[in-house]
Each structure stands twice: as C-alpha cells, then as structure tokens.
Amino acid sequence: MSLDLSSDRLAFHLRLPQGSWDLHALNQPGMGIEGAMMGAKWIRKTRTMSWRGQMKDATVMHAERVNSSLGESVQASVRWSVPRSGLDFKLDCALLLSAPLCLWRLHIGNVSPEPVYLEHVEMMRVGRGRKGKVKPFSGWMLPMGPADREEPFGAIRLHSSPGDLAFFANGWQSWGYTGTLGPEDRFPRTRLGPLTRPMRVNPGTPRPRARGHFASDLFAALGDRRWRRGFVAGFLSQQQAFGSLEADLDALEPRLHMWANADGIRLDKGDSFTTDWACLQPFDMDEQDPLGPYLDAVAVENQARSEGAIPVGWCSWYQFFDSVTQEDVRENLDWVTKHRSHAPLNLIQLDDGFQEQVGDWLSFKETFPDGVAAIANQAKEAGFQPGIWLAPLIVRPDAKIIKGHPDWLLRSKAGRPVHAGFIWDSFTRALDVTHPQVLDHVRRIIQTAVNDWGFEYLKLDFLYAGALRGVRHDPKVTRAQALYRSLSEMREAAGPDVTMLGCGCPLGSGIGIFDAMRIGPDVAPNWLPAYKGIEFPFKAEPDFPSVRNAIRNIITRAPMHRRWWVNDPDCLLIRSTDTRLSEAEVQSLATVISLSAGSMIISDDLPSLDRQRIEWLAKLLPPLPQHARAIDWFDAAYPSRLLLPISDETGARFLVAFLNWLDRPLIMDSILDELPLPRMGACHAVDFWNASYQRIEAGIDSPMQIPAHGVRFLALRPVQEAPAWIGDTLHVSQGMAVRRWRAEAKSVRAQLDLKRQAEGRIWVALPAPPLKVMLNGNEQDWREAGQGVYEFDASFEGAAKLEISWD
C-alpha cells in the first residue's frame, strides 16, 4: 500500500507500512530524494523511546484538492499508532500546485495515562554520508519492520553524475553566520565557548567540526555547484519548534537530516504536539530568485509585515555606545534638522545607555535628567519619528529587578540562573517568558515606551534570551512556543502602528511580528572582529561585531527583504575620524547597505562629519527601491559579485558591485566575463566612488583594481544610439534623479529631482559635442570623457531643468 501525490513539477510517494518516502522533481530528470525516513524521540517512565518510519495498520485519508492561504494544493493524511508507545501519529502531506513545494507535518498525541516528554521529531533523514558520520538514532527502538533493514537512510539524487556539492547554512538568530560552504570547508563556530555560545547557538542544533559537515537553522540549501541545482529544505515557521538541519557533503552519498526540537515538553494524557510545516523545494541556483518559492511561502504562512516604510535615520550607538547623554542626542537632532534639505533623515533612535541598568528600564541615568520622554517629544516636534532601544528579556546580574523578583529568572535543572551570554562585562541572566508576571512586566515596559514616553519605533534586542534552554514555569511549551508567545505579547502591547525592529532574534520567531529585522552581526568601527581594540584571538569569530561579518550577512540574507520584513543591515558608519575603517572599507559598507535596499541608519556623531562624508551620506538617499542579488551566492562563503538590474526614465542599466575580501589589492581583467549579462558588444561603465567613466568592449581586457577590503561600484549600460543618460554621482542609483528625459533632433531636456539638495557629476552620450549645457538657466562647463561621452558637474536643490543642445 502507498500514498501518491503529484503536481506538474513534483511527485511524492509514501510507502506503507515501511514509512519511507520519495520526492522527485519532474522537470529535473534524475533529481530527487529517495527512501527518506521520519521519526520521533520521547521519554516515558524514565525510559527513552523512539520511533522511525514504520506506519503499520495506517489509515489513509485519500488525496484531495484544498485551497489555503498558500494557494491550491493536493493534500492527504495518514493516521497510525506505534505499538507499546502510548502515542498516536498523524502525517499531513501537501503538494502546492502553484509553486514547486512539498509540505508535510506530524501530529503526535499522548493516549497513555502517563505523561510523555517529547524530545524531538525527525522530519527527514536521508543519505548515508561518510563512514562513521551517521550516528544511530538514540533511544530504545520500537519494532521498525523491513524498512529499517533494507535502506534506512535512502539517497539524495541531484544528478546522474557526481558533482561539486555545497551547503547554504542559515544562522539561528540575527547575528548568526549565514553563507555557503563546500566539502573542504569547516563549519564556522565560535572559539569563545560559554562567553558567547548562549547568544549565537541554538541549543538544539549541532556545531560540527569535521570538514564538509555542517548544520543550519530554520532552512538550508543543499546543491551541486557543477550541475547548478539543488534542494531547499526547511520549515515554514518556528511558532511550534525550532527547526534544525544537518548535512554531510559526501560526493557519492550526501546526507541531509532535518528535525524539530520539542525540548522535552510534557504531554499529559490527551495532549498533542503538532510540528510546523516542513518543506522541500527543488531549485536552479542560477535563476533570478532561486529561493523565492520557499521564502514566499514562509511569508504567507506567518502573515509577514514587510510593506512598511524603509527606516532612514540616526542611531546613537556606534558613536557614543552606552556613554550617550541627553545632550549628545539633542546635538545630533539639531544637526539632522538643520541639514534636512541635504541629507533627509526621518528617524532619531536612542540606543543603549539611557537606563539605570539593563533590566531596570523605568529608571534613568543622571546623564538623562529629563528622562527619555523629552527626547521623543523634541523629535516629534521637529518632524521626526522617535525611536528607542530596549532589551526586555535579558538582565544584568546586578539589576534591581532580580533582587525583587528572583523567581522571574530562567533556571537550570540545578536551580541556578541560566547564563545568557557575557555582555556588558557581565554574565547576564534571562527572564522566564512563560511566567505570567514576566509577561505582565514585558507588556508594561512596551506600553510605557509607546504610550507614556511617546516612542513610535522600538528596537528590541537580545531576544534570543527568551528561547534559552532551562526549566520553565510552564513545562508544556517548547522554547519556540515560549518566545513566539512573548513576541506576540510585545506586538499587541505596542499596537499595530508602531514600527518594531527585532535584533538578536531567532529569525523564524519574528516573522509576522516585526516590521524590520537585523539580519547580520553588529557593525563596528573596524573591519575585523575585535574586543576593546584587540583583534587576536577574535578576528576569526564568524558572528562577532565587525564590518566584514556584517557585510557577509547583508549579502547572504538579502532575499528575505520585503518578504519576511524590511531587512535591517545595521548602521552605516561613514566618519573619517574615531574609526579604524579605511576609506575603501567605508565605501564597501556603504555600497552593500545601499544595495540591500533595507534600513538606512547612520550612527556617527553627525556634527563631527567632514564635508566629503556628508556628501557620501546624501548620495545614498533616498534608499534604492529594490535589493541586489549575489550571483555567486552558492559559490563562495563570502560572495563578491552583486547585480541589480534597474529600468527607469533613463532606460535599462545594471548596477554591479565587485567586492575584494582580500587583505591586498585585487586586479580583475574582464568584468563582463564575471557577470550573467545580456550579450553586449560594448558598454558604458561609470564608477560611482571614483567618479570616472570608461568604455568596455566585449572580449577586450579592461583591467580594474579593487583596493583591499574595497569595492568597485559601477553602472553598466549597453552602448546604443545617442543621446542617452550614462550615469551620475548625484545618487547611488545613477539615474533616479531623472524624472523626465525627452530627446529631440538636436537637443535633450531632462527634469531632475531627488527631493533634496544634490550635487555631483553627470555623464551623457551625445551624437555631437554640446553647444550648451544649461542647468536651471545657468550654463555649465563640460568635458569630453570618452568616445561620444561628455561629463559636467551639477548642483541643485529640489527640482531642476537640464537642457543640452548640439549642432
């Protein structure tokens, strides 16, 4: 007996009673997963028990077409009981008809009189991996039947011939390493042990040490770099459990393992647990949007809040840190108000440093004699959105709240407070978010910040503390359920109109809660990780604050933007003093943040910026309307080639960025060969940061040097019939300034408007040298920049009229 589901692109086959299953990509011959198994592990009467695969005497509810929020699908269910376990199981399976997605979830119910403690639920185990890598499923095995003796781990088929496997790993929370790793790589892991592990590691996800052996959270992608195809595997949400994945990149027998962490929750008689939907999606890694179907399904499942305005503003943290004063904020607010016509910002966000202690949020330092409500009022009166930083789920050990409410702390089995990470030079504590009084406390903090202080933007940080392992007040909820419920309470307390930014947050838990989400490690005024100015032994830390680590995650998590939330790449640091960043490193950070199209928050002391850096800031505003993609996202742990096609009033162009991660300059011979662009005989190239033009011919080397840790940021346009707008340094888009472009027989007229004061250089292609270049009635000097290309400098405020004539 078997269960079969099919769509135009996928076929699912479940063998009964063995319980193994296959999934084949119908439009990719030879690609599929065969003989995958499921399972579960639990404790009953002090005995560890487990089940894998067998569905003896199963009842099949036959396939039918169902409409849901995800669209039309073919669904079926299977029910069965495992002998002597005291548990009933139900498997729901679905194939979407509008997208290449296979979904399944497990329901587990306790029908025995004794409580059961559910440890984890295996959603998929397939492939043998290298000898010695596959550990047996721990626990007392119940009878499995013939499936366990035949091929218990099945096989992953990506192509008929072995290729070059790679694994895209996603970190647990905002700061976690995210990127693609190959068989010779080792999984990036912290070397700081208990100092940082609670902050960065999901307790249910392993941290492998061997080469080619990796882990991931929420989702991952296993693919073949040679044949350019693979599978996305993951969960559509983390409302019920944190999902983990593990892979072994053996070329002949790769292994993929995916499970839901049930965290030992107690199921009394009649209780049940349902996993989040697990998901598989085949993909072509060279498509424009290879992860799109999975990411879109996650957004729908969680009712993502992704359509809000892009935050553009100032944050106090990376200049003043926790020594910020009321006067520092006011001085920067005055600067933003004064320079609004040049560098228009709309948000003023106060970060850490105003509160008496982390955990004691309602009392203030002496450096804030007027409290924080006065700052919110001043920001609003000046026309800005006021924002504030809070970390409501974590406390310092010397906070007054601990002395008054020791029962609020999350504790270990030994009764000691759970360690939440070494932060603020102390070993911090986590609150137990299943305690009703803790939830009341969290609601009160959020409501005070919004209703009493008047803040309209909340940056909520260190949220992973609500999901640490420990003995909870309510033993019937998983870590994921506990965190998701507490985040939902925060959203309800804030109200639907307050902008909420999540930070240090397990990603899946925040979808549908937050309007924006930090998607990488903190930036810092240094390229490599360092602590109090010391790089060794921190420089190899994969998710420690640094510009290098931040840029990597901004790139690798870019596809989440405007799907799950607005991506928050962390702050732009553009200053030239009080920093260890070189000019090239600042330009790299500014380029990648701009190409992310996410939040644009600067965190310098604005009155101290020199004129050049103010101009750099202005040229990034307003933010780009869409994000770039990394074309080498699956080929390198640190992608270096970003591409953004744009089409507007000036025509079609490609914004491209080439990053140099090396500690020395890099020379590229032919940039067109590095990009998947339409065939162009020749193209115009305008270098944004160097304010220069060159013509690039196909098949002819055009050497280009990129400084160490630097970037070359170009606008490429095919050489076509003149007249044409070629590029500019008015705005990072190299074209958004043009609202109207009208060419006539011997002239061209353009309407320019960036809704701010603008200055920079403009390049145009003309059929003959200009007779006159007029900007708002004033004649401009021009220069020949190349064959039929002319450049001139421009400065204007608001709307401007550009007229160019030739003979």
Side-chain angles (χ1 to χ4, degrees), residues 425-446:
D425 295 327
S426 65
F427 289 96
T428 56
R429 307 294 186 234
L431 296 181
D432 179 359
V433 295
T434 69
H435 196 299
Q437 293 179 8
V438 170
L439 287 179
D440 290 341
H441 167 73
V442 170
R443 280 192 294 266
R444 184 166 59 254
I445 293 171
I446 300 298

Side-chain angles (χ1 to χ4, degrees), residues 527-546:
W527 177 257
L528 293 176
Y531 182 67
K532 296 188 176 182
I534 302 173
E535 286 188 355
F536 183 82
F538 306 101
K539 62 182 180 180
E541 288 295 304
D543 43 23
F544 213 71
S546 69

Side-chain angles (χ1 to χ4, degrees), residues 50-52 54 82-84 140-145:
S50 58
W51 158 84
R52 190 193 305 132
Q54 189 182 30
V82 175
R84 303 194 302 277
W140 182 66
M141 297 295 293
L142 294 165
M144 292 293 103

